[in-house]
Every structure is written in C-alpha cells, then in structure tokens.
Amino acid sequence: VSHIMRNEGGRVFYKGVGASVARDMLGSSANMAIQSLVSDWLVEKKIIKDGTLQLGVVSGLASAAASVLVMQPVDTARAYVYLNPGKYKNSFAAFSDILLKKGGPLVLYRGALAHFARVAPHYALMFGLMEKLTSLEAVFARQWHDRQRDQAMRSAFKSFDANATNRIDIQEVEQLLKTALPLSIVKNSQRLRRYDTAPNEAPRYQDRIHSLALELYDKSKIANQHSNAVALQDEQQDGLDLKGFTQLIGNMANIVRDVRIEAVFNQFDLDHDGRISKSDVMSGLKDIFDFVPESLTTQVMEAADVHHKGYLSLSEIRNLCADMDALEVTRMAVLRQWASKAGFRLIPTLLQF
C-alpha cells in the first residue's frame, strides 16, 4: 500500500470502480429478479411446492445463469485491462476492442462456464436455505398466531363467563351481542328484521338481541356436538364450553360485520335512497375536515366505485370492509379506506386521531 501511495497515488486504488459498480448492479438486479420470477412460475405451474429446498435450488441455478449472462462481458473486459494495462485505458475501451476487433460478442463469454460453475453452488445453496427458512418462519408465525388466538379466546371466555361455571349460557351470549351491537345499530338494521317477535310493531332492541342470541347459541351448540364426540355425552348440560364458544364467535362475527356495515352505509346514505352519492361522501368527509376540495371527493368516488355506476352500493361497502375484523367496521374505518384507495396517504393517518 505504501509503495502504491508513493509511486502512483491514492487514486489508483479506485481504478476500475466504474466497471465494478456496473457489474454488481447488473448481477444483483438480474439475480434477484430472475430468482423471484422463476420461483413464482414454478409454484404457479405446480412443478415444485412453495417453501421447499428444491424450489430454492432450482430458482437459484436460474438466477446464477442470469447473473453470468450479464456479468461475464464486464469480467472479460476487466480481465483484458488487467492483462494489458498499457493498451487499454479502461474497461469500456477493452469492451469496444473485443467487439470490433477480437472476434465479436462470443469472445466476451469466454470463461462463462467456469464462472457459472463457481457461482451456481453459491446461489443454489443461498436461495435453497432462504426458501426453507422462510417456510419455517411462516410455520412458526402461524403457530404463534394460533397460540395468541387461543389465548385471546380463553381470556374472552373467562371474562364473559360471569357465573364462573366454565360454560357460556344464553344470558351471557346476549351480553356478548350487546357489547358488539349497540342499540342504535340494532334498531335501525334491516338485516335483523327477521328477529322481530312482533313485525308490525316498532323494533325492540331486547327482542332482536334475544332472538339472535338463541339462534347463534343453538347453532354453535349443535356444531360443537357434531365435531366433538365427548360433547355428545353431556348434551343435556346447558351452556357452551370453550370449543362451542369459539364456534359462537365465528358465527357471530359474520352477522356482526354485516350489521355494522349496514349501519355505516346508512350513516353515509343521508337521503335514504339506498345508495351513497358523491354528495353523501363529501358530507362524510366534511364531518372530519373543515374544507374538503371537490377533487378529493371525486378521487374517492372513482377509487371506491368499482362498478362505475356513479354511486356506491351496499355490496361495494361490504367488499371494502371484507378484510376488517367485525368490530373494526366503523364510519372512520371506511373513510380511511376510501382515502387510502384514492391515494391520499396522509388522510388515513389523520383519521386515526
């Protein structure tokens, strides 16, 4: 190092840096892109299963071939510069000389097989291990999620088991429904009209909650008995055990989501014509912001109106809320979704406060 510094200066350490940067950029971009494309294609065509060592090895070999394809010309040009430092000023000059005077493009790939033999084991092993570790991570994540869900279900079961009998009775199911469906949502729901005991009278909150609780309770108890042989032995015992409670929560979530979506739809449908117009959307946004530009409302409508009818239907609100948990379906959540779909990243953040 001292000899180079004294005789040639520090700049000499950076000779060929441009070619090295170009080589690494080409190699890395081709490597990752081809590996991803080949891996997805193999899984899509069901040739190799996702998350297997074989998938990583095969896609790794393909990525190694792609890397050699784009890097070998640069390597050959650099080698010419190293072997003939006085003849070539830089790798580009060597590259041009090879193409024009030394035999053409094929000369640039001299040594490509040796290059592939060197990098192929590296990429095959690297991507094979990556696929395997990624699949193991997914398994561990799923197991952790299942444990968290079971823990949350046990905690909920214990909190709603007011009598400490290790069973959830019909009164406790009603209390659970009241927690998820407040009075204002239930009384205005058309979805729950079939639970009215007196259809010609004004809907009563307790009647709807009680009828819905009975239906969910019976459905969950029957399903639990069919899926659990032990449960058949205590069929006469009142209440749901933890497994029946889990079944109840699953059944209840679908109904609660539908009812809450209907309530959100009605909150936006100010003129009660069964559709959400552009003016309804603007009114909803104005409840949050003092000033709502016309362009914002237009973009929200264009993003949300997937059927291009000029208005939003209940089914479009259902699709918008499909990935939400039942209790996450609120007016604010729908506004955040609309703003996000319209490309306004700041608004969903503001609406969290």
Side-chain angles (χ1 to χ4, degrees):
V1 174
S2 300
H3 175 78
I4 295 173
M5 289 292 293
R6 282 195 307 269
N7 294 281
E8 300 183 60
R11 293 181 63 184
V12 75
F13 288 112
Y14 294 96
K15 277 186 177 180
V17 68
S20 297
V21 169
R23 175 188 186 275
D24 291 340
M25 287 175 60
L26 290 169
S28 297
S29 58
N31 174 261
M32 298 304 297
I34 295 301
Q35 190 276 333
S36 179
L37 290 171
V38 170
S39 180
D40 291 344
W41 183 81
L42 290 171
V43 172
E44 182 182 349
K45 298 299 182 181
K46 299 181 180 180
I47 298 173
I48 303 177
K49 289 184 178 180
D50 190 17
T52 60
L53 183 66
Q54 295 91 326
L55 179 64
V57 169
V58 174
S59 60
L61 291 174
S63 71
S67 297
V68 171
L69 183 67
V70 297
M71 288 194 300
Q72 185 60 37
V74 182
D75 286 342
T76 302
R78 290 199 309 173
Y80 270 67
V81 175
Y82 296 152
L83 295 173
N84 302 279
K87 184 177 180 179
Y88 300 110
K89 184 179 180 181
N90 51 44
S91 297
F92 180 76
F95 188 87
S96 300
D97 187 59
I98 294 169
L99 282 178
L100 298 175
K101 301 177 183 179
K102 300 293 185 181
L106 290 179
V107 177
L108 292 170
Y109 287 95
R110 284 178 180 172
L113 288 177
H115 189 177
F116 179 77
R118 179 176 66 84
V119 300
H122 165 72
Y123 286 128
L125 182 61
M126 180 180 72
F127 285 115
L129 290 176
M130 186 186 75
E131 283 291 339
K132 199 63 182 175
L133 290 174
T134 302
S135 66
L136 290 174
E137 180 190 20
V139 171
F140 290 141
R142 187 163 55 250
Q143 291 175 346
W144 179 85
H145 179 269
D146 290 343
R147 286 196 297 270
Q148 292 294 108
R149 183 189 59 192
D150 292 343
Q151 184 177 350
M153 197 62 67
R154 291 178 186 277
S155 177
F157 181 85
K158 185 176 180 180
S159 64
F160 281 99
D161 182 20
N163 301 325
T165 58
N166 287 326
R167 314 285 290 193
I168 298 294
D169 59 30
I170 188 64
Q171 288 77 24
E172 290 162 341
V173 174
E174 289 183 18
Q175 186 57 45
L176 181 61
L177 282 171
K178 288 178 181 179
T179 303
L181 296 173
L183 174 63
S184 59
I185 291 179
V186 172
K187 288 192 70 174
N188 297 321
S189 172
Q190 296 297 313
R191 169 76 167 75
L192 299 179
R193 286 187 63 183
R194 64 191 183 92
Y195 298 106
D196 290 340
T197 53
N200 295 326
E201 299 178 5
R204 290 184 289 187
Y205 178 64
Q206 184 57 40
D207 288 346
R208 289 188 170 186
I209 288 292
H210 180 70
S211 299
L212 178 57
L214 279 174
E215 180 182 296
L216 290 170
Y217 178 85
D218 291 340
K219 186 185 296 184
S220 302
K221 193 171 181 65
I222 292 171
N224 187 35
Q225 289 168 355
H226 282 300
S227 62
N228 187 358
V230 177
L232 294 173
Q233 300 175 5
D234 61 346
E235 185 175 347
Q236 301 303 318
Q237 186 174 357
D238 289 333
L240 300 171
D241 60 9
L242 179 60
K243 191 170 184 179
F245 178 74
T246 304
Q247 183 74 34
L248 171 75
I249 294 297
N251 293 333
M252 191 182 83
N254 295 326
I255 294 178
V256 169
R257 181 184 292 105
D258 280 350
V259 173
R260 292 179 74 95
I261 287 172
E262 181 188 9
V264 169
F265 182 85
N266 291 334
Q267 288 173 348
F268 283 104
D269 182 19
L270 301 178
D271 52 9
H272 307 292
D273 62 350
R275 58 179 66 180
I276 298 177
S277 63
K278 184 177 179 179
S279 61
D280 292 333
V281 173
M282 179 172 281
S283 297
L285 293 172
K286 282 183 176 178
D287 288 345
I288 311 301
F289 303 105
D290 293 332
F291 172 70
V292 180
E294 179 79 13
S295 59
L296 171 58
T297 310
T298 301
Q299 287 179 272
V300 169
M301 283 295 294
E302 289 177 353
D305 183 15
V306 295
H307 299 303
H308 308 292
K309 303 183 301 295
Y311 62 88
L312 304 180
S313 63
L314 181 58
S315 64
E316 285 170 321
I317 304 299
R318 284 199 179 98
N319 292 336
L320 189 72
C321 302
D323 296 329
M324 296 184 192
D325 289 336
L327 296 181
E328 291 179 349
V329 179
T330 63
R331 190 166 178 269
M332 284 292 188
V334 170
L335 283 170
R336 286 198 296 270
Q337 288 283 80
W338 278 344
S340 178
K341 282 181 174 294
F344 292 85
R345 302 301 175 194
L346 178 61
I347 293 176
T349 304
L350 293 174
L351 292 180
Q352 293 176 1
F353 300 98

